[in-house]
Amino acid sequence: MNEFNRSWAQHASALVIVISKTTFAVPGATEETPALWHTFDTGSAWGHLALQASISGWHTHGMAGFDQELTRKELNIPEGYALHAAVAIGKLGDKATLAEYLQAREEPSPRRPLSELAAEGDFTL
Ligand SMILES: Cc1cc2nc3c(=O)[nH]c(=O)nc-3n(C[C@H](O)[C@H](O)[C@H](O)COP(=O)(O)O)c2cc1C
């Protein structure tokens, strides 16, 4: 974790590293071919992990701020697996234990209107 993430994520119940296998073998084949959608599948899996955790009374927080190379080395993650993110899983702590600037961030963040994110027709910005 970078220093910022260590400041709060060190207290999490679990730190999960989200990875995906970048190749696959179609059923019946032995040869692996690139799994072009591995990022799509893995993003979806993380999203559902977050939802299920919430339903089960846990909180999750995704992070990109960690050393990918060191993580790969320490966890023996071989070539052929992509690292995507770290996820802290835990129960909400007491806000007062956070640095002041972090306490101020303990508010729901605003959401962009759907009209900014979805469009009909071609990709015209
Ligand atoms: C690409 C990406 C990287 C992020 N990296 C970190 C991080 O290293 N540390 C952190 O505390 N939050 C990080 N965040 C923010 C949290 O994941 C954030 O709480 C999450 O995106 C939920 O956003 P919301 O507060 O708008 O619901 C990152 C978000 C994104 C999209």
Side-chain angles (χ1 to χ4, degrees), residues 2 4-5 8 46 60-66 105 107-111:
N2 63 25
F4 167 71
N5 286 329
W8 64 268
W46 138 244
T60 57
H61 189 128
M63 293 169 277
F66 67 103
R105 284 176 48 173
E107 293 286 333
S109 53
R111 288 291 180 264

Side-chain angles (χ1 to χ4, degrees), residues 97-117:
T97 61
L98 292 172
E100 242 170 65
Y101 78 101
L102 283 178
Q103 290 185 29
R105 284 176 48 173
E106 288 296 295
E107 293 286 333
S109 53
R111 288 291 180 264
R112 288 187 189 173
L114 196 55
S115 57
E116 268 185 34
L117 305 170

Side-chain angles (χ1 to χ4, degrees), residues 14-79:
L15 291 172
V16 175
I17 302 297
V18 179
I19 63 174
S20 63
K21 191 165 182 284
T22 60
T23 57
F24 85 121
V26 291
T30 48
E31 202 176 314
E32 299 258 321
T33 53
L36 300 178
W37 46 85
H38 69 98
T39 52
F40 179 81
D41 290 346
T42 311
S44 174
W46 138 244
H48 285 87
L49 167 73
L51 288 175
Q52 183 59 57
S54 177
I55 289 166
S56 305
W58 294 88
H59 284 78
T60 57
H61 189 128
M63 293 169 277
F66 67 103
D67 186 328
Q68 290 216 1
E69 248 177 61
L70 187 61
T71 303
R72 186 180 283 281
K73 189 167 160 255
E74 291 293 320
L75 298 182
N76 294 317
I77 299 168
E79 293 277 313

